[in-house]
Amino acid sequence: WAQAVALVVQMESLSLKPDTITYSAAIGACQRGEEWMAALSLLSDMASRRLEMNSFTYTAAVSACGKEGGAWSQGLHLLSEMAAGRIAMTAQLHSSAVSVYDSAGGWALALSFLSDLLATSHVGVDIVTVGAVMKTFRQDGEWTQALGLLREMARMRLATDAPAYGGVICACELAD
């Protein structure tokens, strides 16, 4: 991630203008390095340069915020900024958002987000998004919620794979 950020800075010193793709790739590197502050700094640079921020850009930034528990408020801010800017939600962004909502309020907020998606999203809810919600149940030992989501997966005709069943079993194990 540090090398990617350094290259963006170097481009500036060579009078080259980094574009949306360049910044998005650097933000993605920050996300993989779990460097949410660097990701948000690059996002801020993009805004000051009036570069278009697309769903890939936001997905990487939101994901960076979701990986660090203390950055959930920034992740929530990015999600609301996306909605205001009419940036399209993607399946990848759904699972990143679940991580942010989980950090912000635990499984109940993540489940509420999933329910909203099911009611309003034009992008289909996929196994990755449902799996991210299942992970929140597993972490909190919410076996009844996990079992209910497993049943809902079958109703939605999503493949119920071994990790989905494993998530429910782990939630049962962690239950009080």
Side-chain angles (χ1 to χ4, degrees), residues 11-142:
M11 286 179 73
E12 292 290 329
S13 70
L14 297 171
S15 298
L16 298 171
K17 297 196 186 308
D19 60 8
T20 298
I21 295 169
T22 305
Y23 271 100
S24 295
I27 291 169
C30 292
Q31 175 258 321
R32 285 184 292 288
E34 298 185 18
E35 293 291 331
W36 64 269
M37 287 188 280
L40 294 181
S41 177
L42 289 169
L43 201 63
S44 177
D45 287 350
M46 285 183 75
S48 68
R49 297 175 191 285
R50 299 180 194 265
L51 291 173
E52 175 189 0
M53 292 180 245
N54 57 32
S55 59
F56 179 81
T57 310
Y58 275 104
T59 298
V62 168
S63 182
C65 292
K67 288 187 174 193
E68 175 63 41
W72 61 264
S73 63
Q74 289 86 351
L76 291 176
H77 175 75
L78 290 175
L79 290 169
S80 66
E81 195 175 281
M82 282 184 60
R86 307 222 190 289
I87 305 293
M89 291 289 279
T90 63
Q92 293 84 6
L93 185 56
H94 291 166
S95 59
S96 296
V98 167
S99 295
V100 169
Y101 284 113
D102 179 40
S103 295
W107 66 267
L109 204 49
L111 181 59
S112 176
F113 174 71
L114 179 62
S115 296
D116 289 347
L117 279 179
L118 292 171
T120 62
S121 180
H122 299 297
V123 176
V125 175
D126 64 358
I127 188 73
V128 176
T129 303
V130 174
V133 174
M134 186 70 77
K135 181 180 174 189
T136 69
F137 297 148
R138 182 179 69 229
Q139 290 168 336
D140 293 339
E142 289 292 331

